[in-house]
Coordinates of all heavy atoms in Angstrom, one line a residue:
V51 N 30.2 19.6 3.3 CA 29.0 19.9 3.9 C 29.2 20.9 5.1 O 28.4 21.9 5.3 CB 28.3 18.6 4.4 CG1 27.1 19.0 5.4 CG2 27.8 17.8 3.3
S52 N 30.2 20.7 5.9 CA 30.5 21.6 7.0 C 30.8 23.0 6.6 O 30.3 23.9 7.2 CB 31.7 21.0 7.8 OG 31.4 19.7 8.3
I53 N 31.6 23.1 5.6 CA 32.0 24.4 5.1 C 30.8 25.1 4.5 O 30.5 26.3 4.7 CB 33.1 24.3 4.0 CG1 34.4 23.9 4.7 CG2 33.3 25.6 3.3 CD1 35.5 23.5 3.8
T54 N 29.9 24.4 3.8 CA 28.7 25.0 3.2 C 27.8 25.4 4.3 O 27.2 26.5 4.2 CB 28.0 23.9 2.3 OG1 29.0 23.5 1.3 CG2 26.8 24.5 1.6
M55 N 27.6 24.6 5.3 CA 26.7 24.9 6.4 C 27.2 26.2 7.1 O 26.4 27.1 7.5 CB 26.6 23.8 7.4 CG 25.7 22.7 7.1 SD 25.7 21.3 8.3 CE 25.7 22.1 9.8
L56 N 28.5 26.2 7.4 CA 29.1 27.3 8.1 C 28.9 28.6 7.3 O 28.5 29.7 7.8 CB 30.5 27.1 8.3 CG 31.3 28.2 9.2 CD1 30.7 28.3 10.5 CD2 32.7 27.8 9.3
A57 N 29.1 28.6 6.0 CA 28.9 29.8 5.1 C 27.5 30.2 5.1 O 27.2 31.4 5.3 CB 29.4 29.5 3.7
L58 N 26.5 29.3 4.9 CA 25.1 29.7 4.9 C 24.6 30.2 6.2 O 23.9 31.2 6.3 CB 24.3 28.5 4.5 CG 24.4 28.0 3.0 CD1 23.7 26.7 2.8 CD2 23.9 29.1 2.1
D59 N 25.1 29.6 7.3 CA 24.6 30.0 8.6 C 25.3 31.3 9.0 O 24.6 32.2 9.6 CB 25.0 28.9 9.7 CG 24.1 29.1 10.9 OD1 22.9 29.4 10.8 OD2 24.6 28.9 12.0
A60 N 26.5 31.6 8.6 CA 27.1 32.9 8.9 C 26.4 34.0 8.1 O 26.1 35.0 8.7 CB 28.6 32.8 8.4
C61 N 26.0 33.7 6.9 CA 25.2 34.7 6.2 C 23.8 35.0 6.9 O 23.4 36.1 7.1 CB 24.9 34.3 4.7 SG 26.4 34.3 3.7
W62 N 23.2 33.9 7.2 CA 21.9 34.0 7.9 C 22.0 34.8 9.2 O 21.3 35.7 9.5 CB 21.3 32.6 8.2 CG 20.1 32.7 9.1 CD1 20.0 32.4 10.4 CD2 18.8 32.9 8.7 NE1 18.8 32.6 10.9 CE2 17.9 32.9 9.8 CE3 18.2 33.3 7.5 CZ2 16.6 33.1 9.8 CZ3 16.8 33.5 7.4 CH2 16.0 33.4 8.6
L63 N 23.0 34.5 10.0 CA 23.2 35.2 11.3 C 23.6 36.6 11.1 O 23.1 37.5 11.8 CB 24.2 34.4 12.2 CG 23.7 33.1 12.7 CD1 24.8 32.4 13.4 CD2 22.5 33.2 13.6
F64 N 24.4 36.9 10.1 CA 24.9 38.2 9.9 C 23.7 39.2 9.5 O 23.6 40.3 10.0 CB 26.0 38.2 8.8 CG 26.5 39.6 8.5 CD1 27.4 40.3 9.3 CD2 26.0 40.3 7.3 CE1 27.9 41.5 9.0 CE2 26.5 41.5 7.0 CZ 27.4 42.2 7.8
F65 N 22.8 38.6 8.6 CA 21.7 39.5 8.2 C 20.5 39.4 9.1 O 19.8 40.4 9.1 CB 21.4 39.1 6.7 CG 22.4 39.4 5.7 CD1 23.1 38.5 5.1 CD2 22.7 40.8 5.4 CE1 24.1 38.8 4.2 CE2 23.7 41.1 4.5 CZ 24.4 40.1 3.9
M66 N 20.2 38.3 9.7 CA 19.0 38.2 10.4 C 19.0 38.5 11.9 O 18.0 38.8 12.5 CB 18.4 36.8 10.2 CG 18.1 36.5 8.7 SD 17.1 37.8 7.9 CE 15.6 37.6 8.8
V67 N 20.2 38.3 12.5 CA 20.3 38.6 14.0 C 19.9 40.0 14.3 O 19.0 40.3 15.1 CB 21.6 38.2 14.6 CG1 21.8 38.9 16.0 CG2 21.8 36.7 14.7
P68 N 20.4 41.0 13.6 CA 20.0 42.4 13.9 C 18.6 42.7 13.5 O 17.9 43.5 14.1 CB 21.0 43.3 13.0 CG 22.0 42.4 12.5 CD 21.5 41.0 12.6
R69 N 18.1 42.1 12.5 CA 16.7 42.4 12.0 C 15.6 41.6 12.6 O 14.5 42.1 12.8 CB 16.6 42.1 10.5 CG 17.5 43.0 9.7 CD 17.4 42.7 8.2 NE 18.4 43.5 7.5 CZ 18.9 43.3 6.3 NH1 18.5 42.2 5.7 NH2 19.7 44.0 5.7
L70 N 15.9 40.3 13.0 CA 14.9 39.4 13.5 C 15.0 39.1 14.9 O 14.1 39.2 15.7 CB 14.8 38.2 12.6 CG 13.8 37.1 12.9 CD1 12.4 37.6 12.7 CD2 14.0 35.8 12.1
Y71 N 16.2 38.6 15.3 CA 16.4 38.1 16.6 C 16.5 39.2 17.7 O 15.9 39.1 18.7 CB 17.6 37.2 16.7 CG 17.5 35.9 15.8 CD1 18.6 35.5 15.1 CD2 16.3 35.2 15.7 CE1 18.5 34.4 14.3 CE2 16.3 34.1 14.9 CZ 17.4 33.7 14.2 OH 17.3 32.6 13.5
L72 N 17.4 40.1 17.5 CA 17.6 41.2 18.5 C 16.4 42.0 18.8 O 16.1 42.2 20.0 CB 18.8 42.1 18.1 CG 20.2 41.5 18.2 CD1 21.2 42.5 17.8 CD2 20.4 40.9 19.6
P73 N 15.6 42.5 17.9 CA 14.4 43.2 18.2 C 13.3 42.4 19.0 O 12.6 43.0 19.8 CB 13.8 43.7 16.9 CG 15.0 43.6 15.9 CD 15.8 42.5 16.4
R74 N 13.3 41.2 18.7 CA 12.2 40.4 19.3 C 12.6 39.4 20.4 O 11.8 39.0 21.2 CB 11.5 39.6 18.2 CG 10.8 40.4 17.2 CD 10.3 39.6 16.0 NE 9.6 40.4 15.0 CZ 10.2 41.1 14.0 NH1 11.5 41.1 13.9 NH2 9.5 41.8 13.2
L75 N 13.8 39.0 20.4 CA 14.3 38.0 21.4 C 15.4 38.4 22.3 O 16.1 37.5 22.9 CB 14.7 36.7 20.6 CG 13.6 36.1 19.6 CD1 14.2 35.0 18.8 CD2 12.5 35.6 20.4
T76 N 15.7 39.7 22.4 CA 16.8 40.1 23.2 C 16.8 39.6 24.6 O 17.8 39.2 25.2 CB 16.9 41.7 23.3 OG1 16.9 42.2 21.9 CG2 18.0 42.2 24.1
H77 N 15.6 39.5 25.2 CA 15.4 39.1 26.6 C 15.7 37.6 26.7 O 15.9 37.1 27.8 CB 14.0 39.4 27.1 CG 12.9 38.8 26.4 ND1 12.5 39.1 25.1 CD2 12.1 37.7 26.7 CE1 11.5 38.4 24.7 NE2 11.3 37.5 25.7
L78 N 15.7 36.8 25.6 CA 15.9 35.4 25.7 C 17.4 35.0 25.3 O 17.8 33.9 25.6 CB 15.0 34.7 24.7 CG 13.5 34.8 25.0 CD1 12.7 34.1 23.9 CD2 13.2 34.1 26.4
L79 N 18.1 35.9 24.7 CA 19.4 35.6 24.2 C 20.5 35.7 25.3 O 20.4 36.6 26.2 CB 19.8 36.5 23.0 CG 19.0 36.5 21.8 CD1 19.4 37.6 20.8 CD2 19.1 35.1 21.2
A80 N 21.4 34.8 25.3 CA 22.5 34.9 26.2 C 23.4 36.1 25.9 O 23.5 36.5 24.7 CB 23.3 33.6 26.2
P81 N 24.1 36.7 26.9 CA 24.9 37.8 26.6 C 26.1 37.4 25.6 O 26.6 38.3 24.9 CB 25.5 38.3 27.9 CG 25.0 37.3 28.9 CD 24.0 36.3 28.3
H82 N 26.6 36.2 25.7 CA 27.7 35.7 24.9 C 27.3 34.4 24.3 O 26.7 33.5 25.0 CB 29.0 35.6 25.6 CG 29.4 36.9 26.3 ND1 29.9 38.0 25.6 CD2 29.3 37.3 27.6 CE1 30.1 38.9 26.4 NE2 29.8 38.6 27.6
P83 N 27.6 34.2 23.0 CA 27.2 32.9 22.4 C 28.0 31.7 23.1 O 29.2 31.9 23.5 CB 27.7 33.0 20.9 CG 27.9 34.5 20.7 CD 28.1 35.1 22.0
Q84 N 27.4 30.6 23.1 CA 28.1 29.4 23.7 C 28.7 28.6 22.5 O 28.1 27.8 21.9 CB 27.1 28.5 24.4 CG 26.4 29.3 25.5 CD 26.4 28.6 26.8 OE1 26.7 27.5 26.9 NE2 26.0 29.4 27.8
W85 N 29.9 29.0 22.2 CA 30.6 28.4 21.0 C 30.8 26.9 21.0 O 30.7 26.3 20.0 CB 31.9 29.2 20.7 CG 31.7 30.6 20.5 CD1 32.1 31.6 21.3 CD2 31.1 31.2 19.3 NE1 31.7 32.8 20.7 CE2 31.2 32.6 19.5 CE3 30.6 30.7 18.1 CZ2 30.6 33.5 18.5 CZ3 30.0 31.6 17.2 CH2 30.1 32.9 17.4
W86 N 31.0 26.4 22.2 CA 31.2 24.9 22.3 C 29.9 24.2 21.9 O 30.0 23.2 21.3 CB 31.7 24.6 23.7 CG 30.7 24.9 24.8 CD1 30.6 26.1 25.5 CD2 29.6 24.1 25.2 NE1 29.5 26.0 26.4 CE2 28.9 24.8 26.2 CE3 29.1 22.8 24.9 CZ2 27.7 24.3 26.9 CZ3 28.0 22.3 25.5 CH2 27.3 23.1 26.5
A87 N 28.8 24.8 22.3 CA 27.5 24.1 22.0 C 27.3 24.2 20.4 O 26.8 23.2 19.8 CB 26.4 24.8 22.7
A88 N 27.6 25.3 19.8 CA 27.5 25.5 18.4 C 28.4 24.5 17.7 O 28.0 23.9 16.7 CB 27.7 26.9 18.0
L89 N 29.6 24.4 18.1 CA 30.6 23.5 17.5 C 30.1 22.0 17.6 O 30.2 21.3 16.6 CB 31.9 23.6 18.2 CG 33.0 22.7 17.6 CD1 33.4 23.1 16.2 CD2 34.3 22.8 18.5
I90 N 29.6 21.6 18.7 CA 29.1 20.2 18.9 C 27.9 20.0 17.9 O 27.8 19.0 17.2 CB 28.7 19.9 20.3 CG1 30.0 19.9 21.2 CG2 27.9 18.6 20.4 CD1 29.7 19.8 22.7

Side-chain angles (χ1 to χ4, degrees):
V51 166
S52 300
I53 291 168
T54 304
M55 280 177 45
L56 184 61
L58 291 172
D59 203 38
C61 289
W62 172 261
L63 292 174
F64 179 77
F65 291 110
M66 296 312 292
V67 166
R69 295 180 186 157
L70 180 65
Y71 297 140
L72 287 180
R74 293 173 181 83
L75 302 173
T76 303
H77 64 286
L78 297 174
L79 297 174
H82 303 287
Q84 305 228 348
W85 296 111
W86 62 269
L89 180 66
I90 291 170

